[in-house]
Amino acid sequence: MRGEVIKGHLDLLLLAVLSDRPLHGYAVIEELRNRSGDAFDLPEGTVYPALHRLEREGAIGSKWDTSSGRRRRVYRVTAKGRRTFAVQRQEWTGFSTAVGSVLGGTA
Amino acid sequence: MKECGPAISDWMQRFRSQFRYSSAAARRVHAEIQDHLMDSVARLEQRGVEQAEAERRAVEAFGPPELIVQSFDDEGGPMVPERLARWSVPLGALLALPGVVFVISNILKYNLGAETLYDGTFGSIFDLGFGEFNALVNALVIAGPMLAVILLGVSSIEVGMKREDSAYLSTISIRLDKATIGVLAVSIIVLIAMLTYVIFEIAPCWFGGRVEC
């Protein structure tokens, strides 16, 4: 799937992945890839600017973690992020249902 | 940690030369990216790929440095150093507190006739004047709200940089949340009240023209 298509929904995807458990950047990419069945093929590095922006907006928080023996920056969803995710997920569900109806009606 | 090979070292060098943000933010981003690339290499090596080839694939999958820098520019830059942003509101509130107490105590005294905060030895603390033992408290009352406004203002400003052709375009944005706005508003109100008090009550005493001070 083209990167430009994913970019517009990256916030929703990142919040969805992080809503289950805190993850560091590489694990976020792995989880996105696994959950999408390798459909999402964006440059891995482009996830970090989005993560930083979400953190600046207060939707996620982060801290250094050394529990695995290496220092990694681990991201987690905040209460504000969970509210944002819930709203965006609802909007996406409505949108995809509407698009499906239109496409389903096309011969 | 395993040493980086030439592919990752070269990528990081190219990225550092183009990533023009504050040193604190850059340190974090560099560390995160290097960790990511090393994780990627480790996973590939576990599948039997040689290190040099693993590094080449890792940087290719990560994306070119120019793209990542542009992505940061598009997203408004990296996260600001968290220490200042995290502590600016509580610290600002603490700095503004002496001024708030002073204003409230004067309202109680002059408007409601309640001199609770002026009873006994505690009362002399709020008598503004230089050269007295309470000069430090006076300084806190006046300087505290000013420092709070400066601190909150600085921590709310974000500077971004974007490249357009061969030129750099700087953008300055101000990010205010409700807590910051609240403490800023209180500090500014206290400063205005202090300024009014100094102009109408203290200045006539300092510069003459008033018999009773």
Side-chain angles (χ1 to χ4, degrees), chain A residues 23-97:
Chain A
L23 293 169
H24 55 81
Y26 183 79
V28 167
I29 284 285
E30 285 277 285
E31 192 67 11
L32 268 175
R33 196 173 286 143
N34 291 336
R35 288 199 196 182
S36 68
D38 290 337
F40 293 154
D41 187 25
L42 69 168
E44 295 177 359
T46 56
V47 76
Y48 288 97
L51 287 172
H52 279 240
R53 175 178 48 74
L54 286 170
E55 186 173 359
R56 211 167 46 236
E57 293 171 355
I60 63 177
S62 73
K63 63 176 182 178
W64 291 109
D65 177 75
T66 55
S67 58
S68 61
R70 280 180 51 192
R71 197 177 82 140
R72 286 195 175 94
R73 194 81 186 183
V74 174
Y75 293 88
R76 55 167 179 79
V77 175
T78 62
K80 180 181 177 183
R82 290 192 191 280
R83 290 193 297 271
T84 303
F85 174 52
V87 168
Q88 288 189 4
R89 182 166 56 180
Q90 192 174 15
E91 288 174 352
W92 168 255
T93 302
F95 175 72
S96 64
T97 302

Side-chain angles (χ1 to χ4, degrees), chain B residues 130-142:
Chain B
F130 294 100
E132 300 181 15
F133 77 93
N134 56 356
L136 177 61
V137 176
N138 295 338
L140 282 174
V141 167
I142 297 170

Side-chain angles (χ1 to χ4, degrees), chain B residues 10 20 34 36 47 81 104 112 157 192 196:
Chain B
D10 176 64
R20 298 178 186 278
Q34 188 156 331
H36 182 117
R47 294 179 207 159
I104 290 174
L112 303 176
I157 293 174
I192 291 172
T196 307

Side-chain angles (χ1 to χ4, degrees), chain B residues 104-120:
Chain B
I104 290 174
S105 69
N106 276 276
I107 290 173
L108 289 173
K109 179 180 178 183
Y110 292 109
N111 294 74
L112 303 176
E115 298 197 5
T116 306
L117 292 177
Y118 280 80
D119 291 340

Side-chain angles (χ1 to χ4, degrees), chain B residues 106-188:
Chain B
N106 276 276
I107 290 173
L108 289 173
K109 179 180 178 183
Y110 292 109
N111 294 74
L112 303 176
E115 298 197 5
T116 306
L117 292 177
Y118 280 80
D119 291 340
T121 56
F122 193 69
S124 65
I125 291 178
F126 290 106
D127 290 330
L128 279 183
F130 294 100
E132 300 181 15
F133 77 93
N134 56 356
L136 177 61
V137 176
N138 295 338
L140 282 174
V141 167
I142 297 170
M146 286 173 60
L147 289 173
V149 170
I150 293 169
L151 173 66
L152 291 166
V154 166
S155 66
S156 302
I157 293 174
E158 291 176 9
V159 179
M161 204 173 293
K162 199 170 183 174
R163 254 183 316 168
E164 282 191 2
D165 298 326
S166 58
Y168 284 93
L169 177 69
S170 291
T171 57
I172 297 176
S173 57
I174 298 176
R175 187 178 297 276
L176 296 169
D177 57 21
K178 289 178 187 173
T180 304
I181 292 172
V183 177
L184 258 178
V186 168
S187 301
I188 290 170

